[in-house]
Amino acid sequence: MKFSVYIVLWACLLAGGFSLAQEDATNDNLTEDTIPKSKHPFKKAALYSAIIPGGGQVYNHLHLPKTSRRKWNVYWKVPLIYAAVGGSAYLMIDRQLEIGNLKQEYRVRKGMVEGSLNPRYVNFDDVAILQLHNNAQRQRDLFILTTVLAYAVNVLDAAVEAHFICFDIGDDLSMRITPTIQTNFALGMTLALNFK
């Protein structure tokens, strides 16, 4: 129990140290190209991604400094977003069409509507048609969930990346964690933050 309390305490100290490092960093020797003029609006990036998938990532890409190593992120994130959202949506629509075909097949077999039997389902009896229908419904619901999740992750990624546009990752920040042994043979850690 004590060990988990120590881990939580260290995590809080690390988070506080990182936030202090961001506030105390000096900008005297940095060029205008590496420092954004003002705080980047994360709400605008999230809104662009909500309207057009990948729009917030492109918006963030345009506002990154030219020397940033994260400029290439947009080239792999946007196709990945479209593959996840588009693939899930395609499979969801495909399952919905399959549900419609199975409903029509069952109604024709029971004489509820007029029409011809689908040759795809000739080898299935009525119970198997109902089982196929239930399976298609479960799969459709799963693909609805994955489409919504992929879309939400797209918006969340744009908002988080917008927060990190102004994040200083310069060489003048460093942290060193070293293990220590206390006098009563208890394990501990030493945290040292250096600001150059």
Side-chain angles (χ1 to χ4, degrees):
M1 181 67 181
K2 286 184 179 180
F3 185 69
S4 62
V5 171
Y6 288 129
I7 289 178
V8 170
L9 179 65
W10 282 112
C12 291
L13 287 173
L14 288 176
F18 285 135
S19 65
L20 286 175
Q22 286 299 307
E23 292 172 5
D24 293 342
T26 58
N27 298 329
D28 297 337
N29 60 352
L30 299 175
T31 63
E32 285 186 23
D33 186 35
T34 60
I35 302 171
K37 300 281 186 210
S38 63
K39 190 173 180 181
H40 186 66
F42 72 94
K43 290 180 183 176
K44 195 179 246 188
L47 178 67
Y48 287 160
S49 272
I51 294 172
I52 299 172
Q57 284 77 6
V58 173
Y59 174 72
N60 290 334
H61 171 77
L62 296 175
H63 287 84
L64 276 171
K66 292 179 185 174
T67 58
S68 176
R69 285 180 249 158
R70 294 179 286 149
K71 283 288 256 190
W72 62 275
N73 282 353
V74 75
Y75 298 115
W76 67 268
K77 280 185 180 180
V78 173
L80 189 65
I81 289 167
Y82 276 99
V85 173
S88 296
Y90 170 78
L91 291 170
M92 175 187 64
I93 292 168
D94 181 58
R95 293 290 88 200
Q96 182 61 38
L97 293 174
E98 183 73 14
I99 289 169
N101 290 339
L102 288 166
K103 274 185 185 178
Q104 180 67 19
E105 178 71 16
Y106 188 77
R107 287 178 181 160
V108 168
R109 286 185 180 193
K110 292 298 180 183
M112 297 177 193
V113 294
E114 292 184 15
S116 60
L117 295 175
N118 193 334
R120 278 178 59 188
Y121 306 117
V122 169
N123 297 329
F124 297 101
D125 62 351
D126 293 345
V127 174
I129 294 292
L130 290 175
Q131 288 176 344
L132 288 172
H133 178 267
N134 291 339
N135 287 340
Q137 276 186 329
R138 275 195 299 274
Q139 291 172 353
R140 180 207 53 200
D141 295 344
L142 178 67
F143 289 127
I144 288 172
L145 180 65
T146 56
T147 303
V148 169
L149 284 176
Y151 203 79
V153 166
N154 155 53
V155 174
L156 184 66
D157 176 64
V160 169
E161 188 176 25
H163 276 295
F164 285 120
I165 290 211
C166 299
F167 191 74
D168 182 19
I169 55 172
D171 294 333
D172 59 343
L173 304 174
S174 64
M175 179 180 70
R176 186 178 64 213
I177 299 175
T178 56
T180 59
I181 297 178
Q182 305 292 331
T183 56
N184 58 356
F185 297 104
L187 294 177
M189 298 179 95
T190 302
L191 173 68
L193 294 172
N194 296 324
F195 304 103
K196 295 180 183 178

